[in-house]
Amino acid sequence: MNSIRLRVVYDGKGPLKWSGGPDGFGLQDKAETLHAGSAGPNGTVIFDLSLQVKSAGTDAPVFIGEFAHGPPDRRFLYLGWRRAQGGFDQRLKLPLGTISWDDVREAAARDKPLVGVLVDHHPKLTSTGENIGGTRPIAWKLA
């Protein structure tokens, strides 16, 4: 089974409504533990991770590992902001479905991660005052 390195660069302000602290933001694993990123340039936060990749008899790779969420044909990563008292104030889904086998092979051949940059400078609230989470488009490119 192949593996691939990914880097998520979060360039954003975070949710408008959040009762957590600095330990309450991170890349979420399957146990709902948040893994902190490292400080990047211009206030960005960088998350580095590895996932295993397998074929499922389709043209698209299937990602496996502690950070891969969702059904095999629609895997994604979660960025989460946990409340001080538990639960999440916001979670963002970062789809992995745009990563092709060509991307996986090229990243492995060059020994470089695929990088996805999430720009989220304009967070919004619903009419009831809750953060708008959900799926955020992200393009993956070789570093």
Side-chain angles (χ1 to χ4, degrees), residues 29-114:
D29 67 19
K30 288 182 179 177
E32 295 193 359
T33 300
L34 294 178
H35 298 259
S38 57
N42 302 315
T44 61
V45 181
I46 299 171
F47 300 92
D48 287 306
L49 66 139
S50 292
L51 294 174
Q52 289 74 46
V53 186
K54 74 173 188 172
S55 175
T58 65
D59 292 338
V62 174
F63 299 96
I64 301 168
E66 67 178 322
F67 296 103
H69 300 273
D73 62 337
R74 292 189 306 273
R75 293 277 202 244
F76 58 89
L77 305 174
Y78 263 135
L79 276 183
W81 287 262
R82 187 177 315 256
R83 294 182 194 114
Q85 63 276 24
F88 288 92
D89 272 325
Q90 184 175 43
R91 290 193 306 177
L92 302 179
K93 290 181 179 182
L94 310 179
L96 298 169
T98 58
I99 299 173
S100 69
W101 276 114
D102 287 341
D103 296 329
V104 171
R105 285 188 283 275
E106 187 173 358
R110 294 187 185 191
D111 194 27
K112 300 222 178 227
L114 288 175

Side-chain angles (χ1 to χ4, degrees), residues 107-126:
R110 294 187 185 191
D111 194 27
K112 300 222 178 227
L114 288 175
V115 179
V117 178
L118 175 61
V119 178
D120 191 33
H121 289 204
H122 304 288
K124 296 179 182 167
L125 297 175
T126 66

